[in-house]
Amino acid sequence: MMKTNNALSRAANAARRQVARAALGAAALLVSTTAAAVNSLPGGPAVNQLDLHPPVTSIAASQQSLHYIVMGICVVIFVAVFGVMFYSIFKHRRSKGAKPADFHESTTVEIVWTTVPFLIVIAMALPATKVVVAMKDTTNADLTIKATGYQWKWGYDYLKGEGEGIAFLSTLDNTHRLASDSGKPEPMDNYLLKVDNPLVVPVDQKVRIITTANDVIHAWMVPSLGVKQDAIPGFVRDTWFKAEKTGDYYGQCAELCGKEHAYMPIHVKVVSQEDYAAWVAEQKKAMSAKADDPSKVWALDALVARGQQVYAANCAACHQADGKGLGPIKPVDGSPIVLDADKAKQIAIMLNGAANGAMPAWKQLSDTELAAVITYTKNSWSNATGQIVQPADIVAARP
Amino acid sequence: MSAVLPHGHADDHAHDHAHDHPHGWRRWVFATNHKDIGTLYLLFSLTMFMFGGVLALGIRAELFQPGLQVVNPELFNQLTTMHGLIMVFGAIMPAFVGFANWMIPLQVGAADMAFARMNNFSFWLLIPAGLMLIGSFFMPGGAPAAGWTLYAPLTLQMGPSMDAGIFAMHILGASSIMGSINIIVTILNMRAPGMTLMKMPMFAWTWLITAYLLIAVMPVLAGAITMTLTDRHFGTSFFNPAGGGDPVMYQHIFWFFGHPEVYIMILPAFGIISHVVPAFARKRLFGYTSMVYATSSIAILSFIVWAHHMFTTGMPVTGQLFFMYATMLIAVPTAVKIFNWIATMWRGSMTFETPMLFAVGFIFVFTMGGFTGLILAVAPVDIQLQDTYYVVAHFHYVLVAGSLYAMFSGYYYWAPKWTGVMYSEARGKIHFWGSLIFFNITFFPMHFLGLAGMPRRYADYPMQFADFNAIASVGAFGFGLMQVYFIVAIVIPGMLGKGEKAPQKPWDGAEGLEWEVPSPAPFHTFETPPKLNAAATRIVG
């Protein structure tokens, strides 16, 4: 049954798309077939979407109805005012023998058309006020999560509520980033929206999102949830949502944050209460298993293998998989700092960043991850120093 | 612009022989004549407009399809940043100053601008600033890429070109302030006897108010970018959170400048439209007094709405409510203006030469931008639309269909006075319809992209957005071509003096002192104060 339903709705979607495409006219057909090759992404953008996302929270629903109200009023006024103008344009033209009238002021008319718009904007402001107040009420949250913007990924820390203590980074799937660079990405429904670790939250629970940032201003946006909140370094701000339907909801960074601005998506997975409990249990188990003992002494190959993963997830976007860098991004391959016998130099850059933050600080990575990635860079490509940086070295170097 | 001609206009010279002025290149470098300086301003802004347009086409070429084909993300950010800075500070603002230089002394019956040498200086300051802006692309690390709003702390990560950009902004600001002082003093002190303030042409009125806005806010911008500069180089932490600074404070300061700036770019446009509509409706402007009051209200309100650009920064409930209400209030005086223009048309005897076409196009399309502005003012809706393509659509509707269309309207209206020749009406109509259609093809689909949540300043985007982006890119190239057409088919022939000779007053419904002098306007006009009729629209005796 479900299957047929899906098939039906897919067919209906396809049909709707056909119509929409035809309506977009020759221009679209001539110039592009990309959108035609992908499907709408539930919880994300639809193909040639014309309206706000289908709302999943009460706030998003009120935003949508406010938009309809204000838009409706605007359209009515627009049609009325320009109805008059175009009537005048067709009637009162010299070619139709119109003679100019002589009036040029009327206090009554002018008072009326100052007062009426004033009343109309008050009528718009009243319902909007209610939504503003509701939107800003972040009290009594069931779950509090901190979202930290990094150049260019999101970090999530579950601060309070079920799942407290869970923390992870959420990064765009690197194959999508490479596809973007290739200039000819294959059609993908979730192009630039696929992350390694989505944010998982329970349905029907009030989730408070505290935003902050590590480097520059980012903005945490998920249209279906009706949420957009700037993430400001050095400050915390908050917003909230209570998703009423399980599902996957997508958003992207909405404040210019540097070159990879378009490549730090947000994926919120809203699951049932039971699934959430199960996910939390699984995370906790994985965390205790994964927790690296920073006093462990590693062998070179094991550390290099681990470092390769860390490099791919965090460094390759800028320094490239081949370590050669790109444009203003310095190469790691052959870098005198990497090759230097004094390990402390590279450790310091990893912990503190360099070039005014163009190379960000990576102190949020674990001691083992930092040790691994430094060891990897010191022993990859043409770099063959044979040096090992152990997690203990990082522990010692941390301020 | 007839003045660009090396020869000809013997009568001008005969008329001017008592007032010797330099010829050749000295005429321009040492220019103190308001008409020459107006011409220089207009040519400068036209050049910057074309350069900014090329940057825009770079953006649209990249966004034509998903994936990166044309530029990399760093260069993309440089393109969006410099497109914004160049269009705002290099094209629109100087262009309006050019109109003011040419027209205000003619309109108020003054012999020249009040401070002729300062006028020269404020123009020639533009050249190094413009060169620095363009040259920043060739500096190490490329041009500034932090967006035209130059938000901290992203600006602290920029390369040396950021400093060049800040320096250029300072120079442009100084130039604007000098230009504004000149305009204010000219208007307040040099009007012909009998032209009281409430008989003054609307363009002079809107510029008078604009000039006050400029003097009030350009120093604020200078402060914001100076603090950015000292944060970058001298160890201060105004906006750097690592040292206890507040990045949001930058935004407050910037938008305290930025919102009045929006009106700086549109009020003179309102002035132009208030001349063109009555001229072609052959009927006096409806509600002159309320126009003046509406313009002043908009100017005053513009100082208390700035944080509607910052609804997503997370301000308190009362802050959001205040800025939402104040912003919505601006709809009232703006509506009054639109109503007044339509009432001016009502029962007129209209003809639709190119200036009128652009004026009607302005009223129609600018109002769409006004309405989307009202929608954006509603804070909860803005949470969805902030920093999406909806905002891009909105401000291009008010800046391109608003400011730029009004300038085209003003160009076609006054160019016969500048050049002494009529433009080709057929070419003007092609320019109008081409621009109108391509403008809407470019920017209308962006409303949908924004509603669907496509963030602005993105070098690449999810594929569901592909069709609308492709359409917008096609429209953008069409719009660009129409502006090349404008230069080649209309501006250049005008400057070369090709075309039918313009009569002193080519528009039978036009009013004002600029139509009391011959076409092209002689080098010196109103050397002795003219004697005006009661309405201060004609010279008597």
Side-chain angles (χ1 to χ4, degrees), chain A residues 31 39 48 53 63 81 92-94 98 100-101 104 110 113 129 136 151 180 183 186 188-189 191 223 228-230 233 237 252-255 258-259 261, chain B residues 68-69 73 77 157 241 251 282 284 287 290 312-315 317 325 329 340 342 347 349-350 380 383-384 386-387 452 457-458 460 463-464 467 474 508:
Chain A
V31 299
N39 302 301
N48 298 330
H53 286 251
Q63 288 167 342
V81 170
H92 306 143
R93 49 168 74 208
R94 194 169 63 178
H104 55 82
E110 287 173 62
W113 73 36
T129 303
K136 300 294 294 184
Q151 282 174 322
S180 179
E186 291 298 310
M188 282 180 265
D189 292 353
Y191 178 57
K228 183 183 289 147
Q229 176 58 56
D230 288 2
R237 294 289 197 269
Q252 293 174 291
C253 176
E255 183 63 69
K259 74 181 186 72
H261 175 42
Chain B
L68 303 170
Q69 298 90 16
N77 289 346
Q157 292 184 356
Q251 298 183 23
R282 294 169 181 77
R284 269 177 69 188
S290 65
T312 62
T313 54
M315 56 180 120
V317 147
Y325 297 153
L329 217 50
N340 280 340
I342 294 177
R347 292 180 53 211
S349 172
M350 279 185 272
I383 296 296
Q384 285 283 4
Q386 167 84 42
D387 270 312
R457 297 163 167 169
Y458 262 33
D460 196 5
M463 291 176 175
Q464 288 84 356
D467 284 354
V474 172
D508 55 314

Coordinates of all heavy atoms in Angstrom, one line a residue, chain A residues 31 39 48 53 63 81 92-94 98 100-101 104 110 113 129 136 151 180 183 186 188-189 191 223 228-230 233 237 252-255 258-259 261, chain B residues 68-69 73 77 157 241 251 282 284 287 290 312-315 317 325 329 340 342 347 349-350 380 383-384 386-387 452 457-458 460 463-464 467 474 508:
Chain A
V31 N 17.7 26.6 -21.9 CA 19.0 26.8 -21.2 C 19.3 25.7 -20.2 O 20.5 25.6 -19.8 CB 18.9 28.2 -20.4 CG1 18.7 29.3 -21.4 CG2 17.8 28.2 -19.4
N39 N 14.7 15.1 -8.4 CA 13.4 15.2 -7.8 C 13.4 16.2 -6.6 O 14.5 16.6 -6.1 CB 13.1 13.8 -7.2 CG 13.1 12.7 -8.2 OD1 12.4 12.8 -9.2 ND2 14.1 11.8 -8.1
N48 N 11.8 23.8 -8.7 CA 11.1 25.0 -9.0 C 10.1 25.4 -8.0 O 9.0 25.9 -8.4 CB 10.5 24.9 -10.4 CG 11.5 24.6 -11.5 OD1 12.7 25.1 -11.3 ND2 11.2 23.9 -12.5
H53 N 8.7 26.7 2.4 CA 8.6 25.2 2.6 C 7.4 24.8 3.3 O 6.9 25.6 4.1 CB 9.8 24.8 3.4 CG 11.1 24.8 2.7 ND1 11.8 23.6 2.3 CD2 11.9 25.8 2.2 CE1 12.9 24.0 1.7 NE2 13.0 25.2 1.6
Q63 N 4.4 31.8 10.2 CA 5.2 32.6 9.2 C 4.5 32.5 7.8 O 4.3 33.5 7.2 CB 6.6 32.1 9.1 CG 7.4 32.5 10.4 CD 8.8 31.7 10.4 OE1 9.0 30.7 9.7 NE2 9.7 32.2 11.2
V81 N -4.4 49.9 -7.3 CA -3.7 51.1 -7.6 C -3.3 51.2 -9.1 O -3.4 52.1 -9.8 CB -2.4 51.3 -6.7 CG1 -1.5 52.4 -7.2 CG2 -2.8 51.5 -5.2
H92 N -6.5 58.7 -20.5 CA -6.2 60.1 -20.4 C -4.9 60.4 -21.3 O -3.9 60.9 -20.7 CB -5.9 60.6 -19.0 CG -7.1 60.3 -18.1 ND1 -7.0 59.9 -16.8 CD2 -8.5 60.3 -18.4 CE1 -8.2 59.7 -16.3 NE2 -9.1 59.9 -17.2
R93 N -4.9 60.0 -22.5 CA -3.7 60.3 -23.3 C -4.1 61.2 -24.4 O -5.2 61.3 -24.9 CB -3.1 59.0 -23.9 CG -4.1 58.0 -24.5 CD -3.4 57.0 -25.3 NE -2.8 55.9 -24.4 CZ -1.7 55.3 -24.7 NH1 -1.1 55.5 -25.8 NH2 -1.2 54.4 -23.9
R94 N -3.1 62.0 -24.9 CA -3.4 63.0 -25.8 C -3.9 62.4 -27.1 O -4.8 63.0 -27.8 CB -2.1 63.8 -26.1 CG -2.4 65.1 -26.8 CD -1.2 66.0 -26.8 NE -0.1 65.4 -27.6 CZ 1.0 66.0 -27.8 NH1 1.2 67.3 -27.3 NH2 2.0 65.5 -28.4
A98 N -7.5 63.6 -25.0 CA -7.7 64.1 -23.6 C -7.2 65.5 -23.4 O -6.1 65.8 -23.9 CB -7.0 63.1 -22.6
P100 N -5.9 68.2 -20.6 CA -5.5 68.2 -19.2 C -6.4 68.9 -18.2 O -6.8 70.0 -18.5 CB -4.1 68.8 -19.2 CG -4.0 69.6 -20.4 CD -4.9 69.0 -21.4
A101 N -6.7 68.3 -17.1 CA -7.5 69.0 -16.1 C -6.6 69.9 -15.3 O -5.4 69.9 -15.5 CB -8.1 68.0 -15.1
H104 N -4.6 70.2 -8.7 CA -3.3 69.7 -8.3 C -3.2 69.5 -6.8 O -2.1 69.3 -6.3 CB -2.2 70.6 -8.9 CG -2.4 72.0 -8.5 ND1 -2.0 72.5 -7.3 CD2 -2.9 73.0 -9.2 CE1 -2.3 73.8 -7.3 NE2 -2.9 74.1 -8.4
E110 N -5.9 63.7 0.2 CA -4.5 63.4 0.7 C -4.6 62.9 2.1 O -3.8 62.0 2.5 CB -3.7 64.7 0.6 CG -3.3 65.0 -0.9 CD -2.6 66.3 -1.1 OE1 -1.5 66.5 -0.5 OE2 -3.1 67.2 -1.8
W113 N -5.7 59.2 1.8 CA -4.7 58.2 1.4 C -3.5 58.2 2.2 O -2.5 57.5 1.9 CB -4.5 58.2 -0.1 CG -3.8 59.4 -0.8 CD1 -2.7 60.0 -0.3 CD2 -4.0 59.9 -2.1 NE1 -2.2 61.0 -1.1 CE2 -3.0 60.9 -2.3 CE3 -4.9 59.6 -3.1 CZ2 -3.0 61.6 -3.5 CZ3 -4.8 60.3 -4.3 CH2 -3.9 61.3 -4.4
T129 N 2.8 40.7 15.5 CA 3.4 40.9 16.8 C 3.2 39.6 17.6 O 4.2 39.2 18.3 CB 2.6 42.0 17.5 OG1 2.7 43.2 16.7 CG2 3.1 42.3 18.9
K136 N 10.2 34.3 20.0 CA 11.3 34.6 20.8 C 11.2 33.9 22.2 O 12.1 34.1 23.0 CB 11.3 36.1 21.1 CG 11.5 37.0 19.8 CD 12.9 36.8 19.2 CE 14.0 37.3 20.0 NZ 15.3 37.2 19.2
Q151 N 34.3 27.6 10.2 CA 34.6 27.6 8.8 C 35.1 26.2 8.4 O 36.2 25.9 8.7 CB 35.7 28.7 8.5 CG 35.1 30.1 8.6 CD 36.2 31.1 8.4 OE1 37.3 31.0 9.0 NE2 35.9 32.2 7.7
S180 N 31.1 19.6 -7.0 CA 30.9 21.0 -7.3 C 32.1 21.5 -8.1 O 32.0 22.2 -9.1 CB 30.7 21.8 -6.0 OG 30.6 23.1 -6.2
G183 N 32.5 21.0 -11.8 CA 31.8 21.8 -12.8 C 30.6 21.1 -13.5 O 29.8 21.7 -14.1
E186 N 26.8 15.3 -11.2 CA 25.7 14.4 -11.6 C 24.4 14.9 -10.9 O 24.5 15.3 -9.8 CB 26.1 13.0 -11.1 CG 27.2 12.3 -11.8 CD 26.9 12.2 -13.3 OE1 25.8 11.6 -13.6 OE2 27.8 12.6 -14.1
M188 N 21.7 15.0 -8.4 CA 21.6 14.4 -7.0 C 20.5 15.2 -6.4 O 20.5 16.4 -6.4 CB 22.9 14.6 -6.2 CG 24.0 13.7 -6.6 SD 25.4 14.0 -5.5 CE 26.4 15.1 -6.6
D189 N 19.5 14.5 -5.7 CA 18.4 15.2 -5.1 C 18.9 16.0 -3.9 O 18.3 17.0 -3.5 CB 17.4 14.1 -4.6 CG 16.7 13.5 -5.8 OD1 16.9 13.9 -6.9 OD2 15.9 12.6 -5.6
Y191 N 22.0 17.3 -3.5 CA 23.2 17.9 -3.8 C 23.5 19.1 -2.9 O 22.7 20.0 -2.7 CB 23.2 18.4 -5.3 CG 24.4 19.2 -5.8 CD1 25.6 18.5 -5.7 CD2 24.3 20.5 -6.3 CE1 26.8 19.2 -6.2 CE2 25.4 21.1 -6.7 CZ 26.6 20.5 -6.7 OH 27.8 21.1 -7.1
P223 N 14.5 26.1 6.9 CA 13.2 26.7 6.5 C 12.0 25.9 7.0 O 11.1 26.6 7.4 CB 13.3 26.7 4.9 CG 14.8 26.7 4.6 CD 15.4 25.9 5.7
K228 N 15.8 30.7 11.6 CA 17.1 31.2 11.1 C 17.7 32.0 12.2 O 17.1 33.0 12.7 CB 16.9 32.0 9.9 CG 18.2 32.5 9.2 CD 17.9 33.4 8.0 CE 17.4 32.6 6.9 NZ 16.5 33.3 6.0
Q229 N 18.9 31.7 12.7 CA 19.5 32.4 13.7 C 21.0 32.6 13.5 O 21.7 31.6 13.2 CB 19.3 31.7 15.1 CG 20.0 32.3 16.3 CD 19.5 33.8 16.5 OE1 18.3 34.0 16.6 NE2 20.5 34.7 16.5
D230 N 21.5 33.8 13.5 CA 22.9 34.0 13.3 C 23.7 33.4 14.4 O 23.3 33.4 15.6 CB 23.2 35.5 13.3 CG 22.7 36.2 12.0 OD1 22.1 35.5 11.2 OD2 22.9 37.4 11.9
P233 N 30.4 34.8 16.7 CA 31.6 34.4 17.6 C 31.6 35.2 18.8 O 31.4 36.5 18.8 CB 32.8 34.6 16.7 CG 32.3 35.6 15.6 CD 30.8 35.3 15.4
R237 N 23.4 33.2 21.1 CA 22.0 33.6 20.8 C 21.2 32.3 20.9 O 21.7 31.2 20.8 CB 21.9 34.2 19.4 CG 22.7 35.5 19.3 CD 22.0 36.6 20.0 NE 22.4 37.9 19.6 CZ 23.4 38.6 20.2 NH1 24.0 38.0 21.2 NH2 23.7 39.8 19.7
Q252 N 20.8 25.5 5.1 CA 22.2 25.9 4.8 C 22.6 27.1 5.6 O 21.7 27.7 6.2 CB 22.3 26.2 3.3 CG 22.0 25.0 2.4 CD 22.0 25.3 0.9 OE1 21.1 25.9 0.4 NE2 23.0 24.8 0.2
C253 N 23.9 27.3 5.6 CA 24.4 28.5 6.3 C 23.9 29.7 5.5 O 23.9 29.8 4.3 CB 25.9 28.5 6.3 SG 26.6 30.0 7.1
A254 N 23.4 30.7 6.3 CA 22.7 31.9 5.7 C 23.4 33.2 6.0 O 22.9 34.2 5.9 CB 21.3 32.0 6.1
E255 N 24.7 33.1 6.4 CA 25.4 34.4 6.6 C 26.8 34.2 6.0 O 27.5 33.3 6.3 CB 25.5 34.8 8.0 CG 26.2 36.1 8.3 CD 25.4 37.3 7.7 OE1 24.3 37.6 8.2 OE2 25.9 37.9 6.7
G258 N 32.8 33.3 4.3 CA 34.1 33.0 3.6 C 33.9 32.1 2.4 O 32.7 31.9 1.9
K259 N 35.0 31.5 1.9 CA 34.9 30.9 0.6 C 34.0 29.7 0.5 O 33.3 29.5 -0.5 CB 36.3 30.6 0.0 CG 37.0 29.5 0.7 CD 38.4 29.3 0.1 CE 39.0 28.0 0.6 NZ 38.4 26.8 0.0
H261 N 31.2 29.2 2.1 CA 29.9 29.5 2.6 C 28.8 28.6 2.1 O 27.9 28.2 2.8 CB 29.6 31.0 2.2 CG 28.3 31.5 2.5 ND1 27.7 31.2 3.7 CD2 27.4 32.3 1.8 CE1 26.5 31.8 3.8 NE2 26.3 32.5 2.6
Chain B
L68 N 30.7 24.4 -10.1 CA 31.6 25.6 -10.4 C 32.2 25.4 -11.8 O 33.0 24.5 -12.0 CB 32.7 25.7 -9.3 CG 32.2 25.7 -7.9 CD1 33.3 25.6 -6.9 CD2 31.5 27.0 -7.6
Q69 N 31.8 26.3 -12.7 CA 32.4 26.2 -14.1 C 33.3 27.4 -14.4 O 34.2 27.3 -15.1 CB 31.3 26.2 -15.1 CG 30.4 25.0 -15.0 CD 29.2 25.2 -14.2 OE1 28.9 26.4 -13.8 NE2 28.5 24.2 -13.7
P73 N 35.1 29.6 -5.6 CA 34.3 30.3 -4.6 C 34.9 31.6 -4.1 O 34.2 32.6 -3.7 CB 34.1 29.3 -3.5 CG 34.4 28.0 -4.1 CD 35.3 28.3 -5.2
N77 N 33.0 35.3 -4.3 CA 32.7 36.2 -3.2 C 33.3 37.6 -3.5 O 32.7 38.6 -3.2 CB 33.3 35.7 -1.9 CG 32.5 34.5 -1.4 OD1 31.4 34.2 -1.8 ND2 33.1 33.8 -0.4
Q157 N 39.7 38.7 8.2 CA 40.5 37.7 7.6 C 40.9 38.0 6.2 O 41.6 37.3 5.5 CB 39.6 36.4 7.5 CG 39.2 35.7 8.8 CD 38.4 34.5 8.6 OE1 38.0 34.1 7.4 NE2 38.2 33.8 9.6
P241 N 35.7 39.5 18.5 CA 35.3 38.9 19.7 C 36.5 38.3 20.5 O 36.4 38.3 21.8 CB 34.3 37.8 19.3 CG 34.6 37.6 17.9 CD 35.2 38.8 17.3
Q251 N 27.4 45.7 12.8 CA 26.2 45.8 12.0 C 25.3 46.9 12.4 O 24.7 47.6 11.5 CB 25.5 44.4 12.1 CG 26.3 43.3 11.7 CD 25.5 42.0 11.7 OE1 24.3 41.9 11.7 NE2 26.2 40.9 11.8
R282 N 1.1 66.8 -18.9 CA 0.8 68.1 -19.2 C -0.1 68.7 -18.1 O -1.1 69.4 -18.3 CB 0.1 68.2 -20.5 CG 1.1 67.9 -21.6 CD 0.5 67.7 -23.0 NE 1.6 67.4 -23.9 CZ 2.2 66.2 -24.0 NH1 1.8 65.2 -23.2 NH2 3.2 65.9 -24.8
R284 N 0.1 70.0 -13.7 CA 1.0 70.2 -12.5 C 1.1 69.0 -11.6 O 0.1 68.2 -11.5 CB 0.5 71.4 -11.8 CG 1.1 72.7 -12.2 CD 0.6 73.9 -11.5 NE 1.0 73.9 -10.1 CZ 0.5 74.7 -9.2 NH1 -0.4 75.6 -9.5 NH2 1.0 74.7 -8.0
G287 N -0.2 67.5 -5.4 CA 0.2 67.5 -4.0 C 1.7 67.8 -3.8 O 2.4 67.1 -3.1
S290 N 2.6 67.9 -0.1 CA 2.6 66.6 0.6 C 3.8 65.8 0.1 O 4.4 65.0 0.8 CB 1.3 65.8 0.4 OG 1.1 65.5 -0.9
T312 N 17.7 38.6 12.2 CA 18.2 37.2 12.6 C 19.4 37.3 13.5 O 20.0 36.2 13.9 CB 18.6 36.4 11.3 OG1 19.6 37.1 10.7 CG2 17.4 36.2 10.4
T313 N 19.9 38.5 13.9 CA 21.1 38.5 14.8 C 20.6 38.1 16.2 O 21.5 37.8 17.0 CB 21.7 39.9 14.9 OG1 20.7 40.8 15.2 CG2 22.4 40.3 13.6
G314 N 19.3 38.1 16.4 CA 18.9 37.7 17.8 C 18.8 38.9 18.7 O 19.5 39.0 19.7
M315 N 17.9 39.8 18.3 CA 17.7 41.0 19.3 C 16.5 40.7 20.1 O 15.7 39.8 19.8 CB 17.6 42.3 18.5 CG 16.5 42.3 17.5 SD 16.5 43.9 16.7 CE 16.8 43.4 15.0
V317 N 12.8 40.8 22.0 CA 11.4 40.9 21.4 C 11.1 42.4 21.2 O 10.6 42.8 20.1 CB 10.4 40.3 22.5 CG1 9.1 41.0 22.5 CG2 10.2 38.9 22.1
Y325 N 7.7 47.8 13.4 CA 6.7 48.8 13.3 C 7.2 50.0 12.5 O 6.6 50.6 11.6 CB 6.2 49.3 14.7 CG 5.5 48.3 15.6 CD1 5.6 48.3 16.9 CD2 4.8 47.2 15.0 CE1 4.9 47.4 17.7 CE2 4.2 46.2 15.8 CZ 4.3 46.3 17.1 OH 3.7 45.4 17.9
L329 N 6.0 51.6 8.9 CA 5.5 53.0 8.9 C 6.0 53.7 7.6 O 5.3 54.6 7.0 CB 6.0 53.7 10.1 CG 5.1 54.8 10.7 CD1 3.7 54.2 11.0 CD2 5.7 55.2 12.1
N340 N 0.4 60.3 -5.4 CA 0.5 61.6 -6.0 C 0.9 61.6 -7.4 O 0.3 62.3 -8.3 CB 1.5 62.5 -5.2 CG 1.0 63.1 -3.9 OD1 -0.2 63.2 -3.8 ND2 1.9 63.4 -3.0
I342 N 0.2 59.1 -9.5 CA -0.9 58.6 -10.3 C -2.0 59.7 -10.4 O -2.6 59.9 -11.4 CB -1.4 57.3 -9.7 CG1 -0.4 56.2 -9.8 CG2 -2.7 56.9 -10.3 CD1 -0.7 54.9 -9.2
R347 N -6.5 62.2 -15.5 CA -7.1 63.3 -16.3 C -6.1 64.3 -16.9 O -6.4 65.5 -17.0 CB -8.2 64.0 -15.5 CG -9.4 63.1 -15.3 CD -10.5 63.8 -14.5 NE -11.0 65.0 -15.1 CZ -11.4 66.1 -14.4 NH1 -11.5 66.0 -13.1 NH2 -11.8 67.2 -15.0
S349 N -3.1 64.8 -20.0 CA -3.2 64.6 -21.5 C -1.8 63.9 -21.8 O -0.9 64.6 -22.2 CB -3.4 65.9 -22.2 OG -3.2 65.7 -23.6
M350 N -1.8 62.6 -21.6 CA -0.5 62.0 -21.6 C 0.1 61.6 -23.0 O -0.7 61.2 -23.9 CB -0.5 60.7 -20.7 CG -0.5 61.0 -19.3 SD -0.4 59.5 -18.3 CE -2.1 59.2 -18.1
P380 N 8.6 38.0 11.5 CA 8.6 36.6 11.4 C 8.8 36.1 9.9 O 9.4 35.0 9.7 CB 7.2 36.2 11.9 CG 6.7 37.4 12.7 CD 7.3 38.6 12.0
I383 N 12.4 36.2 9.0 CA 13.2 35.1 9.5 C 13.4 34.1 8.4 O 14.4 33.5 8.2 CB 12.6 34.5 10.7 CG1 12.5 35.5 11.9 CG2 13.3 33.2 11.1 CD1 13.9 35.9 12.4
Q384 N 12.3 33.9 7.6 CA 12.4 33.0 6.5 C 13.2 33.5 5.3 O 13.9 32.8 4.6 CB 11.0 32.6 6.0 CG 10.2 31.6 6.8 CD 10.7 30.2 6.7 OE1 11.7 29.9 6.0 NE2 10.1 29.3 7.4
Q386 N 15.3 36.5 5.2 CA 16.6 37.2 5.4 C 17.8 36.4 4.8 O 17.8 35.2 4.9 CB 16.9 37.2 6.9 CG 18.3 37.6 7.4 CD 18.5 39.1 7.4 OE1 17.6 39.9 7.8 NE2 19.6 39.6 6.9
D387 N 18.6 37.1 4.1 CA 19.8 36.5 3.5 C 19.5 35.5 2.4 O 20.3 34.6 2.1 CB 20.8 35.9 4.5 CG 21.8 37.0 4.9 OD1 22.4 37.6 4.1 OD2 22.0 37.2 6.2
A452 N 11.9 29.7 -1.6 CA 12.3 28.3 -1.4 C 13.6 28.2 -0.6 O 14.0 27.0 -0.3 CB 12.5 27.7 -2.8
R457 N 24.6 35.0 -2.0 CA 26.1 34.9 -1.9 C 26.6 33.5 -2.0 O 27.5 33.1 -1.3 CB 26.6 35.6 -0.7 CG 26.3 37.1 -0.7 CD 26.5 37.8 0.6 NE 26.5 39.2 0.6 CZ 26.4 40.0 1.6 NH1 26.4 39.5 2.8 NH2 26.5 41.3 1.5
Y458 N 25.9 32.6 -2.7 CA 26.2 31.2 -2.8 C 26.8 31.0 -4.2 O 26.2 31.3 -5.2 CB 25.0 30.3 -2.7 CG 24.9 29.7 -1.3 CD1 25.3 30.4 -0.2 CD2 24.3 28.5 -1.1 CE1 25.2 29.9 1.1 CE2 24.2 27.9 0.2 CZ 24.6 28.7 1.3 OH 24.5 28.1 2.5
D460 N 27.4 28.0 -5.4 CA 26.8 26.8 -6.0 C 25.6 26.5 -5.1 O 25.5 26.9 -4.0 CB 27.8 25.6 -5.9 CG 27.4 24.5 -6.8 OD1 26.4 24.6 -7.5 OD2 28.1 23.5 -6.8
M463 N 20.3 21.4 -6.7 CA 19.9 21.4 -8.1 C 18.4 21.7 -8.3 O 18.0 22.1 -9.4 CB 20.2 20.0 -8.7 CG 21.6 19.8 -8.8 SD 22.0 18.2 -9.3 CE 23.8 18.3 -9.5
Q464 N 17.6 21.7 -7.3 CA 16.2 22.0 -7.4 C 16.1 23.5 -7.8 O 15.0 23.9 -8.4 CB 15.4 21.8 -6.1 CG 15.2 20.3 -5.8 CD 16.4 19.7 -5.1 OE1 17.4 20.3 -4.9 NE2 16.2 18.4 -4.8
D467 N 16.6 25.7 -12.5 CA 15.9 26.3 -13.7 C 15.8 27.9 -13.5 O 16.0 28.6 -14.4 CB 14.5 25.7 -13.8 CG 14.6 24.4 -14.5 OD1 15.7 24.0 -14.9 OD2 13.5 23.7 -14.6
V474 N 20.1 34.2 -18.0 CA 19.8 34.6 -19.4 C 19.3 36.1 -19.4 O 19.7 36.9 -20.2 CB 18.7 33.7 -20.0 CG1 18.2 34.2 -21.3 CG2 19.3 32.3 -20.2
D508 N 6.5 69.9 -24.5 CA 5.6 71.0 -24.4 C 5.0 71.1 -23.0 O 4.6 72.2 -22.5 CB 4.5 70.9 -25.4 CG 3.7 69.6 -25.3 OD1 4.4 68.6 -25.2 OD2 2.5 69.6 -25.4

